[in-house]
Structure formats: structure tokens, C-alpha cells
Amino acid sequence: MAETTPAETTVAGTTVAEVIAELAALEDPKARQINEKHGDDHGVNLGKLRALAKRLKTQQELALRLWETGDTAARLLALLICRPKAFERDELDGMVREARTPKVHDWLVSYVVKKNPHVEELRVAWFADPDPLVASAGWALTTERVAKKPEGLDLAGLLDVIEAEMRDAPERLQWAMNHCLAQIGIEHPGHRARAIDIGERLQVLKDYPTPPNCTSPFAPIWITEMVRRQHDK
């Protein structure tokens, strides 16, 4: 009997091939052109992708098969229909090392890893990983803790690392470290002056083009604006 390929696997009445065909039908060349500017190699409107996920509902086995295809749109869909708590630690570690496009990486961390029981163990392991993309996931999870569960974190130590390494870090890691810097400044008044000072001295993202009515990612501006909004509430 011939082996079944992942694209032919039937899961709960829906074949992976059928889902891939539906994703292909949603492909929009203009959307792909825009996405590729940000490093994402797919052309599926995310609103339509979410509508498809809502229709499919949670299907862990189908999600695993879609992830195995390696296709970016299929992986994004997989992250929407999977069961985050069902993944083992090593599975998520392998997935974050495969997730090289920004949107897949961001959704994997935000929608899956943050809801997984192994999140803290992975945060610690990834934070010091030599792969900057993996390390950026560790920083993203650390930023989440800075905002929601800072107990036990060495905030001064985090600022030390940011001060020493952020300016020369690769782009994705630099973004994650900068977000952590801003979050420390926003959420922790005792470290605010130092966070702003680090941002001013490093000048990271100072000239980043920011649309009207959006807050600049330059940490001193970001911190000051968010603190102002908190006070205005």
C-alpha cells in the first residue's frame, strides 16, 4: 500500500489538500507584494484566513499536518486551529526554530507558546539562544512577564543587557529588546528614568517612519506617550 503524503491525509473529514486548495484560491498578488516587503511569503488576507479558521474550528491533527507542509499561509492557519496546550516542550522548540517568517514567528509565540504550560521553561531557554530569531522569542515572552507577572524578574539586569547589546543586535532581536525596554519604562516607574536614558543614548528606531496617529517605537517617545495615556484615564 502506498504511503499517504501529508497533503492527502484526511482529518475529521477535511483533507489537507482541500485546505491548501482553499488557501490557494484566497491568494491575492497585491497582498503578497505587501507582505513580502515585511518578509512574509504569502498573499492571503488575514481576515479571510481567520474566517477559514473559524469555520474549521479547533483541529489539532489537521493543524499538525498543515504545519508540516512548510507553507506560510498553511502554517498561519495551523496556529489558529491548533490546541496550544497540547504541544510538548520539544515540539514548540522545534517549531520556533522552523518559523523564519515574521508573521508565523509572531503568531506562534503569541497564540500558542504563551498559552502552553511550558512557556516559562521555554522563555528561559530561548532568551539566551545563539540564534537571534529564537532569542527574540525569549525576549517577547520576557516582555509579556514584565507587563503581567514581573515578580522574580531582574529588571535592572534586563536593562543592563539591553544597554550593552541592543544597538548592534540583528533586526528582529533588536525589535524584541526595544519592546522590552519600553515595557519596563511604561510599567515600572522605578526603572523609567533609566529606560528612557538608555533609549536616548542608543537612538534605536529613533528615525523609524511612523504613520500619523501611531506611536513611535522609539522607546523614550513610546514610554512617555503610554504613561501619559495611563495618567489621563
Side-chain angles (χ1 to χ4, degrees), residues 146-171:
V146 165
K148 296 183 178 178
K149 194 180 176 184
E151 298 79 13
L153 285 180
D154 179 5
L155 299 178
L158 287 172
L159 290 175
D160 288 343
V161 177
I162 291 167
E163 187 172 20
E165 300 178 12
M166 182 172 74
R167 179 185 284 160
D168 299 320
E171 183 182 11

Side-chain angles (χ1 to χ4, degrees), residues 41-187:
D41 57 345
H42 75 93
V44 179
N45 176 280
L46 296 181
K48 293 178 179 178
L49 189 78
R50 291 180 188 278
L52 176 56
K54 190 174 181 180
R55 200 178 80 232
L56 289 170
K57 299 188 170 71
T58 301
Q59 295 192 50
Q60 179 69 3
E61 191 60 30
L62 178 57
L64 293 175
R65 299 287 81 78
L66 288 170
W67 182 271
E68 286 174 4
T69 67
D71 177 77
T72 293
R75 285 187 162 183
L76 290 172
L77 181 61
L79 296 171
L80 293 175
I81 66 170
C82 72
R83 190 172 289 109
K85 293 180 180 178
F87 291 98
E88 295 298 329
R89 178 202 180 283
D90 289 347
E91 282 183 288
L92 291 175
D93 184 70
M95 289 168 73
V96 85
R97 293 175 194 283
E98 292 177 16
R100 310 312 289 183
T101 59
K103 189 64 71 178
V104 171
H105 186 275
D106 291 345
W107 282 19
L108 174 60
V109 174
S110 298
Y111 298 166
V112 181
V113 180
K114 285 181 182 178
K115 300 175 183 177
N116 185 271
H118 302 287
V119 59
E120 180 61 13
E121 187 183 350
L122 289 168
R123 181 190 74 81
V124 173
W126 290 344
F127 186 84
D129 198 276
D131 182 330
L133 281 183
V134 177
S136 73
W139 277 92
L141 295 173
T142 299
T143 301
E144 178 87 351
R145 271 204 59 188
V146 165
K148 296 183 178 178
K149 194 180 176 184
E151 298 79 13
L153 285 180
D154 179 5
L155 299 178
L158 287 172
L159 290 175
D160 288 343
V161 177
I162 291 167
E163 187 172 20
E165 300 178 12
M166 182 172 74
R167 179 185 284 160
D168 299 320
E171 183 182 11
R172 297 281 299 287
L173 179 55
Q174 185 184 70
W175 268 94
M177 294 173 87
N178 184 69
H179 191 180
C180 191
L181 173 66
Q183 206 68 56
I184 291 172
I186 293 163
E187 301 290 344

Side-chain angles (χ1 to χ4, degrees), residues 22-32 41-45 73:
E22 189 156 357
L23 288 172
L26 293 174
E27 177 77 16
D28 178 352
K30 288 183 180 177
R32 176 175 285 274
D41 57 345
H42 75 93
V44 179
N45 176 280

